[in-house]
Amino acid sequence: MATDQELSDFLKSVEKRAFKRTVYAVRDEEAALDIVQDSMIRLAERYADRPAAEWPMLFQRIMSNATMDWFRRQKVRSAVVQNLSDFEGGDDGDEFDLLESLQTADGMLGAESAADLVSREQILLVIEAEIAELPARQREAFLLRYWEEFDVAETAEVMGCSEGSVKTHCSRAVHALAKALRAKGITP
Amino acid sequence: MLETLEARVAAQLAAGLNERATGVPHDIAERLRIGRQQALLRARQRRVALAAAAGVVNAGGAGAVASLGRTGGLWVALASWLPLAVLIAGLVLIQQWATQEQVMAAAEIDAVLLADDLPPAAWTDPGFREYLKAPPP
């Protein structure tokens, strides 16, 4: 059985990322704090006795459900519809060169030449803003896969979709971010 | 190659997000800390409650076993069926008593009618019924 210290360490390790992820989704810091706090309490009340290795997945599921509950309570139907339905995005038809954008985005944070145009802090702000603009499923897949460092199977389980869908969402998210950053002139 | 490039770009973006996440404002960090402490408190309360409930169940189970012994199961089964048996028996008795009462009442009326001087046909006479309803002079 996991100890209080283990639970404390786990919550401490995820709380800030959880807060930021929720802010990207709900765009309201107060609401995000409530959701994260509520999720931590739910995890502690229901699953504190489970092995610590199960907590990351459980916490992400609880967070997703709490966020959806928040949307339902707010009755922001348009936001929900927008966030849940636009898997396809609007960039399938243009002649955008994905590879070129990815190559452009690769190394942007470590390149000194980028700092000549936009400071590093500003680049990070732009990245955050663009992630917040991603369709909800793409954002969730991207953040779980690359920020929370879940593997494809775990991400699929948390999101309740197939592994193929996770790969598609992640790929589209990375391409959309690379394209958006390139459009803002963030280049190495 | 494309997947490798995607993963590399994603890793850089995630590193940037980490950088931003570690620098959340102090008030936000404090509120997250308070939320974490509340969650830990709830976890402790739940553990205490579960331990207490387990103690009660164990004590109750041990007491029942000690008092009833090996035949405890039979007695418990009998005790659970006894109220239902009593209820059914009571309903049957009430039914029989009500039937008996109806029979006795009908017999009493018949006996009075047959023993009276008044012929039974008089009871169907409207004038005689009015006479009976009228107050005595």
Side-chain angles (χ1 to χ4, degrees):
Chain A
M1 182 184 291
T3 63
D4 277 1
Q5 188 57 49
E6 284 176 302
L7 182 59
S8 176
D9 291 344
F10 169 74
L11 293 176
K12 198 171 184 179
S13 71
V14 296
E15 65 190 12
K16 287 177 181 169
R17 289 201 308 276
F19 168 72
K20 297 295 279 188
R21 278 184 52 208
T22 313
V23 170
Y24 299 147
V26 302
R27 304 177 191 202
D28 179 341
E29 287 196 347
E30 287 297 318
L33 278 169
D34 288 343
I35 290 169
V36 173
Q37 181 172 335
D38 191 38
S39 300
M40 289 197 290
I41 288 173
R42 282 192 212 177
L43 180 80
E45 279 184 338
R46 298 178 193 174
Y47 304 108
D49 299 334
R50 301 284 278 271
E54 293 182 13
W55 287 339
M57 296 269 290
L58 290 168
F59 186 66
Q60 298 308 328
R61 289 295 287 265
I62 293 170
M63 281 267 300
S64 297
N65 290 338
T67 305
M68 287 306 298
D69 287 346
W70 182 86
F71 274 114
R72 289 192 190 102
R73 282 199 301 273
Q74 295 296 310
K75 296 183 179 175
V76 187
R77 291 178 189 281
S78 59
V80 173
V81 169
Q82 182 189 352
N83 286 330
L84 295 183
S85 66
D86 48 1
F87 288 96
E88 297 304 321
D91 55 355
D92 288 345
D94 59 18
E95 295 301 317
F96 167 61
D97 185 343
L98 296 177
L99 190 59
E100 189 185 342
S101 281
L102 286 173
Q103 285 168 336
T104 299
D106 187 19
M108 64 198 159
L109 289 172
E112 287 302 316
S113 56
D116 294 338
L117 298 173
V118 189
S119 73
R120 181 180 182 81
E121 185 65 18
Q122 284 172 317
I123 293 174
L124 295 176
L125 281 172
V126 169
I127 291 171
E128 278 196 322
E130 294 302 331
I131 284 174
E133 289 299 319
L134 285 175
R137 298 288 280 177
Q138 285 184 22
R139 183 176 57 240
E140 190 176 8
F142 175 82
L143 293 175
L144 287 171
R145 180 80 183 84
Y146 296 113
W147 203 16
E148 300 294 342
E149 297 180 343
F150 284 16
D151 62 29
V152 173
E154 290 170 336
T155 305
E157 190 177 335
V158 171
M159 292 180 65
C161 64
S162 69
E163 294 183 19
S165 295
V166 168
K167 289 176 184 171
T168 304
H169 291 324
C170 285
S171 177
R172 285 180 176 165
V174 174
H175 288 165
L177 290 168
K179 180 184 177 185
L181 293 172
R182 185 186 178 200
K184 288 191 163 35
I186 299 176
T187 58
Chain B
M1 179 197 171
L2 186 62
E3 281 188 14
T4 308
L5 194 55
E6 277 178 15
R8 204 160 62 211
V9 171
Q12 289 179 20
L13 291 168
L17 292 177
N18 267 333
E19 215 171 299
R20 289 284 301 162
T22 53
V24 297
H26 180 69
D27 61 323
I28 299 285
E30 274 301 295
R31 289 180 63 178
L32 289 171
R33 185 182 63 79
I34 291 167
R36 179 176 8 114
Q37 287 177 341
Q38 285 183 350
L40 291 170
L41 182 64
R42 297 286 185 92
R44 276 186 217 114
Q45 288 172 343
R46 183 171 180 269
R47 281 179 182 142
V48 169
L50 285 176
V56 167
V57 168
N58 288 339
V65 168
S67 63
L68 294 174
R70 294 183 64 181
T71 58
L74 176 64
W75 286 110
V76 169
L78 282 175
S80 64
W81 281 102
L82 189 60
L84 184 61
V86 169
L87 178 66
I88 292 170
L91 289 172
V92 170
L93 285 174
I94 289 170
Q95 171 71 18
Q96 286 185 344
W97 176 78
T99 306
Q100 184 68 22
E101 281 292 305
Q102 286 176 352
V103 170
M104 292 297 290
E108 192 176 344
I109 292 169
D110 287 346
V112 169
L113 285 174
L114 292 172
D116 201 350
D117 293 337
L118 197 66
W123 295 98
T124 61
D125 181 7
F128 183 66
R129 284 208 301 272
E130 286 302 317
Y131 164 76
L132 288 177
K133 285 180 188 172

